[in-house]
Amino acid sequence: MKQAEKCKGIVLGFAIGLLSSGNVLAADEVPGTQDGNTDKPKAFDISIGTELMSGDTTYSIGFPVTFPDGSSVNGYFPFSQLEWPLDIWLARLDADLNIGASWRINGVLKTNISDPNDHMIDRDWLPPGGWLDVYSESNISDFDALIWDVDVEWTFLQRQSWNLYAGLGYQYQKFEYEGQLIQQYSPSGIPGFDLFGDGGVAITYEMTYKMPYALIGTDLQITPNFAIAGNFSYSPWVTAEDEDHHLLRDIVSKGDMDGDAVMIDVSGIYDFHSSWFFEGGLRYTKIDVDGDQTQRIDGITLGTVHQESESTQTSGYLNIGYRFK
């Protein structure tokens, strides 16, 4: 993606600029004062909680189509689109390690504790396109999610009640679905597409995202016991792989994509008793990738098609944690 290539240079230049300006900003601080204290001891926080996520991952395929002999055909986009729901509850484990006054390492591990309640929606537009020709919905009979994220942050500007930091991180997401067909029909009235599910699994889907990113954020101490934090992350280096298996026709489709992602996180921490604290927050993630999908039926390669995928994830979470000093 041309936009992602341009943004890669911007992010790299931004990171280099922060590193080179760090000494200048640090020179404004007075060592040993509350504003520029470099003697802050190590501290380790660990917390557990739950997170409610809503959103979906939607992928679309269409022309151009490239056949095994190398020939290709251009046309409309998309001719098929599948929308996979992400309305789920997650369990999460967070850990943070503060090293002195300037460095912090954060990690979070999340896995689902519920399956999506919404249905998977499959839409198809047959040639010449323009009208929705085939529509179906499937119940999500089984679902697994794994998300982990690690980042390293460097505080480059410190004041008595607030600071600014930047960092680098890596996030991994994997979603696995099994779907049971409920009903398929043709909104445009084409015969031969009316079908009801029999309760068996008719489709499986797997999506994996790998996202190295750069971030910038701030911490704001409101009272001695309450602080809020926010950060913005951007990745122009997202890679994504997915696999769709239509079991009824034994069609296996594998996609290989790249693109970018934006992540926004706002949270608040309240120290309620000695080393114990509550943390609550809101998070938004938007992932856009595109590439090619290879399709096979009964092990025979049919060809490749253009693929685009978009994932929108909005969530709120609440943790309880303990701070080791």
Side-chain angles (χ1 to χ4, degrees):
M1 299 176 68
K2 293 182 178 179
Q3 183 68 24
E5 292 297 328
K6 292 179 181 179
C7 291
K8 289 179 184 179
I10 294 173
V11 172
L12 287 172
F14 171 73
I16 294 171
L18 283 175
L19 291 172
S20 62
S21 62
N23 291 334
V24 176
L25 291 170
D28 293 335
E29 307 299 339
V30 180
T33 67
Q34 191 171 8
D35 286 357
N37 181 18
T38 60
D39 298 325
K40 184 178 178 180
K42 292 182 181 180
F44 177 70
D45 301 349
I46 189 167
S47 62
I48 59 172
T50 57
E51 179 174 335
L52 177 60
M53 177 185 289
S54 65
D56 63 75
T57 292
T58 299
Y59 87 78
S60 305
I61 57 173
F63 290 97
V65 176
T66 303
F67 299 102
D69 63 3
S71 62
S72 63
V73 177
N74 292 317
Y76 60 96
F77 186 92
F79 52 61
S80 184
Q81 183 181 82
L82 283 79
E83 182 180 320
W84 296 91
L86 283 173
D87 57 319
I88 54 174
W89 281 95
L90 297 158
R92 56 183 290 151
L93 172 66
D94 293 65
D96 306 315
L97 176 63
N98 291 284
I99 305 174
S102 299
W103 293 94
R104 180 168 57 195
I105 302 173
N106 306 299
V108 60
L109 176 66
K110 297 185 278 189
T111 188
N112 65 297
I113 52 176
S114 73
D115 294 341
N117 291 319
D118 291 341
H119 297 156
M120 186 277 284
I121 298 174
D122 188 349
R123 303 177 178 92
D124 296 297
W125 295 263
L126 302 180
W131 294 95
L132 178 60
D133 294 305
V134 184
Y135 178 91
S136 69
E137 294 191 14
S138 298
N139 178 55
I140 306 302
S141 58
D142 193 30
F143 174 79
D144 288 298
L146 175 65
I147 301 172
W148 58 264
D149 190 313
V150 176
D151 69 67
V152 178
E153 299 169 0
W154 171 58
T155 301
F156 61 89
L157 180 61
Q158 300 183 48
R159 292 294 184 265
Q160 182 172 352
S161 59
W162 61 274
N163 63 42
L164 293 174
Y165 60 87
L168 298 173
Y170 185 92
Q171 185 173 139
Y172 174 92
Q173 297 187 357
K174 185 172 185 178
F175 304 114
E176 297 178 284
Y177 296 84
E178 290 186 359
Q180 299 171 328
L181 177 66
I182 300 172
Q183 182 183 7
Q184 175 184 281
Y185 67 97
S186 173
S188 61
I190 300 176
F193 287 99
D194 293 337
L195 183 66
F196 290 90
D198 59 5
V201 175
I203 186 172
T204 64
Y205 182 66
E206 179 181 305
M207 169 62 89
T208 302
Y209 294 110
K210 300 175 182 179
M211 300 181 288
Y213 61 85
L215 68 88
I216 187 167
T218 183
D219 297 321
L220 180 61
Q221 194 72 42
I222 305 299
T223 71
N225 292 331
F226 179 66
I228 60 175
N231 63 65
F232 172 85
S233 304
Y234 177 69
S235 173
W237 303 290
V238 178
T239 60
E241 296 178 349
D242 70 346
E243 180 174 326
D244 180 322
H245 190 181
H246 281 64
L247 300 176
L248 299 181
R249 293 174 289 169
D250 197 23
I251 297 177
V252 178
S253 303
K254 294 184 179 181
D256 187 1
M257 297 165 282
D258 59 66
D260 59 5
V262 171
M263 293 165 278
I264 301 172
D265 192 292
V266 178
S267 62
I269 298 179
Y270 177 68
D271 297 320
F272 66 92
H273 178 70
S274 183
S275 295
W276 291 92
F277 63 89
F278 285 119
E279 179 179 10
L282 299 172
R283 184 170 181 85
Y284 173 80
T285 300
K286 178 68 173 293
I287 308 170
D288 281 297
V289 292
D290 65 10
D292 295 320
Q293 182 188 87
T294 301
Q295 298 186 348
R296 295 180 175 86
I297 182 168
D298 295 326
I300 301 173
T301 300
L302 301 177
T304 62
V305 298
H306 179 64
Q307 180 176 7
E308 297 180 2
S309 181
E310 177 182 293
S311 185
T312 303
Q313 306 164 15
T314 303
S315 58
Y317 60 90
L318 180 64
N319 284 11
I320 184 171
Y322 187 85
R323 182 170 296 113
F324 298 87
K325 298 179 181 180

